[in-house]
Amino acid sequence: MTSSEQPTTLRERKKLRTRQELIDTAVTLFGERGFDGTPLDALLEQVEVSRRTFFRNFRSKEDVALTAVKQLWATYLEVLDGMEKSGPLADVFLAAMLTTLERMDEGWYRRFPLTLRLIAGSPALDGYTLRHCAEVQAEIARRFDERNRLELRLLIEFFTAAWRCALDEWLPDCTPGELPALLRRVYSTMNSALALEA
């Protein structure tokens, strides 16, 4: 959030603090106790907020647990919308993600690896993440709808697969500065991967 986006009233600042505390506590608590084994009431008790307050900020326990993932893709779509789109579309997708990673703050880089580990340990979160990923892919495709649908869908699948491979390489160390370089490396091997022979 930039300084121009900072809430101006005391009430808005308090709401933002409560939301952030829910996000931070959820990732920590779910990481310690397991996502599936931690009831929502345990989070509410820890942060000392009501169900009503929670549901003003989030739709579900999955929603708060995946905040870092949703922040990443929301920012990615914003970056993609604001970019000049020329040259190979694969390069546009890569440049948009590299710009997105530059915009992520320290808090996000702290929460994101914890979130990835939560997803890996919870079938419920994994399923929720897959649905969200499909929604994001549909949004990307919608932005380039005039192009060949099959080729575009394949390219988006390659892009998201490359992103997942970069994340696999990034874990477990999760050094923030390494993720862009890993993504570039994965992208650079895509053509040779497609040319592999049996």
Side-chain angles (χ1 to χ4, degrees):
M1 183 177 281
T2 64
S3 57
S4 62
E5 295 171 325
Q6 290 293 338
T8 54
T9 68
L10 179 62
R11 183 176 179 183
E12 288 171 341
R13 290 195 301 272
K14 186 177 178 188
K15 280 173 66 175
L16 184 63
R17 277 195 307 272
T18 300
R19 179 180 169 80
Q20 195 59 53
E21 189 175 356
L22 280 165
I23 293 166
D24 291 338
T25 305
V27 171
T28 302
L29 195 62
F30 297 156
E32 291 169 356
R33 302 181 186 181
F35 176 79
D36 298 320
T38 308
L40 179 59
D41 287 338
L43 171 61
L44 303 182
E45 185 178 319
Q46 188 95 13
V47 183
E48 298 182 337
V49 297
S50 67
R51 280 183 167 266
R52 185 176 174 187
T53 298
F54 177 84
F55 286 111
R56 267 195 232 121
N57 288 281
F58 302 99
R59 290 180 295 171
S60 64
K61 194 171 89 163
E62 289 84 2
D63 196 30
V64 68
L66 295 177
T67 300
V69 171
K70 293 188 169 199
Q71 285 174 332
L72 174 84
W73 289 111
T75 304
Y76 178 82
L77 291 173
E78 286 174 16
V79 169
L80 198 58
D81 287 341
M83 285 183 69
E84 181 182 327
K85 297 165 188 73
S86 61
L89 198 48
D91 293 346
V92 172
F93 289 165
L94 174 61
M97 183 54 82
L98 293 172
T99 301
T100 298
L101 292 173
E102 288 173 7
R103 292 188 182 181
M104 298 294 103
D105 63 17
E106 281 182 30
W108 181 87
Y109 273 105
R110 181 180 47 76
R111 285 189 309 274
F112 190 55
L114 299 173
T115 303
L116 294 176
R117 291 184 186 107
L118 282 178
I119 293 166
S122 166
L125 270 185
D126 191 38
Y128 194 91
T129 305
L130 289 172
R131 277 195 307 278
H132 180 66
C133 184
E135 291 166 4
V136 170
Q137 288 176 308
E139 279 298 311
I140 295 169
R142 193 179 59 74
R143 284 157 167 79
F144 299 92
D145 203 31
E146 73 281 358
R147 299 175 188 264
N148 182 298
R149 295 291 293 171
L150 179 59
E151 289 178 358
L152 177 60
R153 284 189 353 248
L154 281 171
L155 182 59
I156 292 168
E157 288 289 345
F158 282 132
F159 166 68
T160 53
W163 170 246
R164 285 192 298 271
C165 287
L167 292 180
D168 288 344
E169 295 286 316
W170 192 50
L171 289 165
D173 296 336
C174 302
T175 306
E178 289 179 1
L179 188 50
L182 287 169
L183 182 58
R184 282 188 187 95
R185 183 162 63 82
V186 168
Y187 247 75
S188 71
T189 62
M190 210 178 329
N191 285 336
S192 58
L194 290 171
L196 278 177
E197 296 185 15

